[in-house]
Each structure stands twice: as C-alpha cells, then as structure tokens.
Amino acid sequence: MVIKMKPVKNDDKKENKYWQTTTGKILVVTLVFAIIVVAFTLVTGQIAYGNVYGKLFNDSKVPDVQFQGSPYAMNNTSGSILVFNVTDLDGPNQAAVTEIILTNVTTGKNITLTSQNISMDIYRVVDAKYHYHDNVKYNQYNGIYVPLGDEATIYMNLTTSLHHNLSGKYKVTLVVPTQKAKFATADVTF
C-alpha cells in the first residue's frame, strides 16, 4: 500500500521571525519589565514618602502643631486651669503632642508634663465642627493626637498632676517628638 502525502505548499514553510520566542528572549523581557517595575516603585516611594534613602522631597511632611489664638489660664477653686485651641497645619495624618513644657518667665524654671500627666489633666476636648475624619484624642502613652487639618479646644486642670496651683506668667510649649518639628509656644498668666 502506498501512502500518498499531500504536498507542502511553500507558504506553510515560511515562519514569522518576529514571533519566534526562545527561553532566552522571554527571560530578557521579564527581567527588563521587572527592573522597570522595581525602579518605578522605588522612585515613587522616594518622592512621596522619602522611605528608600532618607528624605528627598518630603520636608513638608513634618507636623506643624500650632496654637489657634492665645491660650487662656486661670486659677479657681478646682485648681489651675489651662485652655488652648490647637491644630495641625502640615505633616502626615496626625501629630502627637507628647509633652507640654511650662516655663516660668520670671524664675526660668521648667515644669514638664509628660503624656501620662497630659492624659490625667485633660478633662474636656471640644472638636471643631468642621473636623474632617477623626476627632482630637488623647491617651497616657502618646499624649494628644491632632489629626491633620483638624482643630480642637483642650481644657486641662494642671493641679491634677502637679498637686499645686500655678501663679505668675508662663510660656507654654507643645512638644511634637519629630525631627525638624516646630514647637508651638505661647504666653499665659495664671
């Protein structure tokens, strides 16, 4: 028995040289694509957050906690009361005020309220009506949390942690423990 084979046309033998792939070509294309993706990710992260190799363009991401208006202080039957309005104008999502330093203007002596003292002394927080997504909060570990762009009035009874009334003129400093952070300062008289 004779098997007849169909003759092969010349067109079927032509191969498209651009569609031929080998393992080496696939590997090269994969490596080039991976390098582009990694470079894009690193550059984007560096520009946005400065988290690859130090800070590059994110100096504006430093918290900027400020007093809104002048703080108010008084002595009454319940103790030394300090009332101030605070906001975070710049920086990451929230700033933490971990210390409040009270400096007597006449004697130069400092009284430092730690985050634990701050949480004991705060008896009322009134958030601004326009706060965006989160309230100003406080706790004994991190002091006062001020979300970016939000504002609140803080009421503190300093006698709770100091156990004595203050009198005289003091400079109040809010400390944010971040590199290059600006401390908010204002004068009050008890």
PDB file of all heavy atoms in Angstrom, residues 8-20:
ATOM      1  N   VAL A   8       3.474  19.847   0.481  1.00  0.00           N
ATOM      2  CA  VAL A   8       3.511  21.025   1.351  1.00  0.00           C
ATOM      3  C   VAL A   8       3.682  22.254   0.491  1.00  0.00           C
ATOM      4  O   VAL A   8       4.556  22.308  -0.365  1.00  0.00           O
ATOM      5  CB  VAL A   8       4.679  20.906   2.350  1.00  0.00           C
ATOM      6  CG1 VAL A   8       4.776  22.127   3.220  1.00  0.00           C
ATOM      7  CG2 VAL A   8       4.537  19.655   3.169  1.00  0.00           C
ATOM      8  N   LYS A   9       2.820  23.204   0.747  1.00  0.00           N
ATOM      9  CA  LYS A   9       2.922  24.442  -0.010  1.00  0.00           C
ATOM     10  C   LYS A   9       4.082  25.256   0.537  1.00  0.00           C
ATOM     11  O   LYS A   9       4.418  25.200   1.705  1.00  0.00           O
ATOM     12  CB  LYS A   9       1.628  25.248   0.100  1.00  0.00           C
ATOM     13  CG  LYS A   9       0.477  24.604  -0.596  1.00  0.00           C
ATOM     14  CD  LYS A   9      -0.721  25.511  -0.525  1.00  0.00           C
ATOM     15  CE  LYS A   9      -1.895  24.863  -1.232  1.00  0.00           C
ATOM     16  NZ  LYS A   9      -3.084  25.682  -1.151  1.00  0.00           N
ATOM     17  N   ASN A  10       4.578  26.065  -0.284  1.00  0.00           N
ATOM     18  CA  ASN A  10       5.720  26.888   0.080  1.00  0.00           C
ATOM     19  C   ASN A  10       5.342  27.925   1.139  1.00  0.00           C
ATOM     20  O   ASN A  10       6.154  28.324   1.948  1.00  0.00           O
ATOM     21  CB  ASN A  10       6.263  27.571  -1.187  1.00  0.00           C
ATOM     22  CG  ASN A  10       7.717  27.961  -1.021  1.00  0.00           C
ATOM     23  OD1 ASN A  10       8.342  27.556  -0.063  1.00  0.00           O
ATOM     24  ND2 ASN A  10       8.228  28.723  -1.950  1.00  0.00           N
ATOM     25  N   ASP A  11       4.058  28.381   1.160  1.00  0.00           N
ATOM     26  CA  ASP A  11       3.622  29.396   2.124  1.00  0.00           C
ATOM     27  C   ASP A  11       3.621  28.854   3.552  1.00  0.00           C
ATOM     28  O   ASP A  11       3.828  29.591   4.498  1.00  0.00           O
ATOM     29  CB  ASP A  11       2.215  29.891   1.781  1.00  0.00           C
ATOM     30  CG  ASP A  11       2.205  30.702   0.494  1.00  0.00           C
ATOM     31  OD1 ASP A  11       3.295  31.179   0.114  1.00  0.00           O
ATOM     32  OD2 ASP A  11       1.124  30.856  -0.088  1.00  0.00           O
ATOM     33  N   ASP A  12       3.338  27.558   3.721  1.00  0.00           N
ATOM     34  CA  ASP A  12       3.289  26.988   5.061  1.00  0.00           C
ATOM     35  C   ASP A  12       4.668  26.905   5.699  1.00  0.00           C
ATOM     36  O   ASP A  12       4.798  26.875   6.898  1.00  0.00           O
ATOM     37  CB  ASP A  12       2.682  25.583   5.016  1.00  0.00           C
ATOM     38  CG  ASP A  12       1.193  25.641   4.703  1.00  0.00           C
ATOM     39  OD1 ASP A  12       0.613  26.740   4.840  1.00  0.00           O
ATOM     40  OD2 ASP A  12       0.640  24.589   4.345  1.00  0.00           O
ATOM     41  N   LYS A  13       5.703  26.851   4.893  1.00  0.00           N
ATOM     42  CA  LYS A  13       7.055  26.727   5.420  1.00  0.00           C
ATOM     43  C   LYS A  13       7.588  28.053   5.940  1.00  0.00           C
ATOM     44  O   LYS A  13       8.483  28.082   6.748  1.00  0.00           O
ATOM     45  CB  LYS A  13       7.990  26.200   4.338  1.00  0.00           C
ATOM     46  CG  LYS A  13       7.933  24.732   4.174  1.00  0.00           C
ATOM     47  CD  LYS A  13       9.000  24.325   3.222  1.00  0.00           C
ATOM     48  CE  LYS A  13       9.437  22.921   3.484  1.00  0.00           C
ATOM     49  NZ  LYS A  13      10.542  22.545   2.648  1.00  0.00           N
ATOM     50  N   LYS A  14       7.029  29.153   5.477  1.00  0.00           N
ATOM     51  CA  LYS A  14       7.527  30.455   5.911  1.00  0.00           C
ATOM     52  C   LYS A  14       7.183  30.647   7.376  1.00  0.00           C
ATOM     53  O   LYS A  14       6.063  30.422   7.793  1.00  0.00           O
ATOM     54  CB  LYS A  14       6.910  31.584   5.096  1.00  0.00           C
ATOM     55  CG  LYS A  14       7.408  31.655   3.685  1.00  0.00           C
ATOM     56  CD  LYS A  14       6.795  32.848   3.003  1.00  0.00           C
ATOM     57  CE  LYS A  14       7.265  32.923   1.571  1.00  0.00           C
ATOM     58  NZ  LYS A  14       6.628  34.014   0.851  1.00  0.00           N
ATOM     59  N   GLU A  15       8.135  31.099   8.131  1.00  0.00           N
ATOM     60  CA  GLU A  15       7.921  31.364   9.539  1.00  0.00           C
ATOM     61  C   GLU A  15       8.154  32.842   9.790  1.00  0.00           C
ATOM     62  O   GLU A  15       9.052  33.444   9.207  1.00  0.00           O
ATOM     63  CB  GLU A  15       8.861  30.526  10.386  1.00  0.00           C
ATOM     64  CG  GLU A  15       8.581  29.049  10.290  1.00  0.00           C
ATOM     65  CD  GLU A  15       9.562  28.256  11.111  1.00  0.00           C
ATOM     66  OE1 GLU A  15      10.425  28.868  11.767  1.00  0.00           O
ATOM     67  OE2 GLU A  15       9.480  27.029  11.088  1.00  0.00           O
ATOM     68  N   ASN A  16       7.342  33.402  10.674  1.00  0.00           N
ATOM     69  CA  ASN A  16       7.487  34.811  11.006  1.00  0.00           C
ATOM     70  C   ASN A  16       8.609  34.927  12.039  1.00  0.00           C
ATOM     71  O   ASN A  16       8.487  34.455  13.155  1.00  0.00           O
ATOM     72  CB  ASN A  16       6.175  35.356  11.575  1.00  0.00           C
ATOM     73  CG  ASN A  16       6.228  36.848  11.778  1.00  0.00           C
ATOM     74  OD1 ASN A  16       7.297  37.440  11.803  1.00  0.00           O
ATOM     75  ND2 ASN A  16       5.069  37.448  11.923  1.00  0.00           N
ATOM     76  N   LYS A  17       9.685  35.554  11.694  1.00  0.00           N
ATOM     77  CA  LYS A  17      10.834  35.608  12.599  1.00  0.00           C
ATOM     78  C   LYS A  17      10.584  36.497  13.821  1.00  0.00           C
ATOM     79  O   LYS A  17      11.264  36.395  14.811  1.00  0.00           O
ATOM     80  CB  LYS A  17      12.081  36.069  11.854  1.00  0.00           C
ATOM     81  CG  LYS A  17      12.015  37.480  11.338  1.00  0.00           C
ATOM     82  CD  LYS A  17      13.288  37.856  10.624  1.00  0.00           C
ATOM     83  CE  LYS A  17      13.214  39.275  10.108  1.00  0.00           C
ATOM     84  NZ  LYS A  17      14.420  39.664   9.435  1.00  0.00           N
ATOM     85  N   TYR A  18       9.590  37.396  13.764  1.00  0.00           N
ATOM     86  CA  TYR A  18       9.317  38.271  14.897  1.00  0.00           C
ATOM     87  C   TYR A  18       8.517  37.573  15.991  1.00  0.00           C
ATOM     88  O   TYR A  18       8.504  38.010  17.122  1.00  0.00           O
ATOM     89  CB  TYR A  18       8.570  39.534  14.446  1.00  0.00           C
ATOM     90  CG  TYR A  18       9.399  40.351  13.487  1.00  0.00           C
ATOM     91  CD1 TYR A  18       9.075  40.425  12.147  1.00  0.00           C
ATOM     92  CD2 TYR A  18      10.522  41.025  13.933  1.00  0.00           C
ATOM     93  CE1 TYR A  18       9.838  41.154  11.267  1.00  0.00           C
ATOM     94  CE2 TYR A  18      11.299  41.767  13.060  1.00  0.00           C
ATOM     95  CZ  TYR A  18      10.947  41.831  11.726  1.00  0.00           C
ATOM     96  OH  TYR A  18      11.714  42.547  10.868  1.00  0.00           O
ATOM     97  N   TRP A  19       7.811  36.516  15.656  1.00  0.00           N
ATOM     98  CA  TRP A  19       7.002  35.816  16.646  1.00  0.00           C
ATOM     99  C   TRP A  19       7.698  34.600  17.222  1.00  0.00           C
ATOM    100  O   TRP A  19       7.162  33.916  18.071  1.00  0.00           O
ATOM    101  CB  TRP A  19       5.659  35.392  16.039  1.00  0.00           C
ATOM    102  CG  TRP A  19       4.801  36.582  15.785  1.00  0.00           C
ATOM    103  CD1 TRP A  19       4.584  37.182  14.594  1.00  0.00           C
ATOM    104  CD2 TRP A  19       4.079  37.325  16.748  1.00  0.00           C
ATOM    105  NE1 TRP A  19       3.765  38.262  14.733  1.00  0.00           N
ATOM    106  CE2 TRP A  19       3.431  38.374  16.070  1.00  0.00           C
ATOM    107  CE3 TRP A  19       3.907  37.223  18.121  1.00  0.00           C
ATOM    108  CZ2 TRP A  19       2.643  39.305  16.704  1.00  0.00           C
ATOM    109  CZ3 TRP A  19       3.112  38.144  18.751  1.00  0.00           C
ATOM    110  CH2 TRP A  19       2.487  39.176  18.049  1.00  0.00           C
ATOM    111  N   GLN A  20       8.877  34.343  16.784  1.00  0.00           N
ATOM    112  CA  GLN A  20       9.615  33.207  17.332  1.00  0.00           C
ATOM    113  C   GLN A  20      10.139  33.601  18.708  1.00  0.00           C
ATOM    114  O   GLN A  20      10.732  34.655  18.890  1.00  0.00           O
ATOM    115  CB  GLN A  20      10.795  32.846  16.439  1.00  0.00           C
ATOM    116  CG  GLN A  20      10.393  32.264  15.120  1.00  0.00           C
ATOM    117  CD  GLN A  20      11.600  32.004  14.241  1.00  0.00           C
ATOM    118  OE1 GLN A  20      12.709  32.346  14.602  1.00  0.00           O
ATOM    119  NE2 GLN A  20      11.371  31.399  13.097  1.00  0.00           N
TER     120      GLN A  20
END
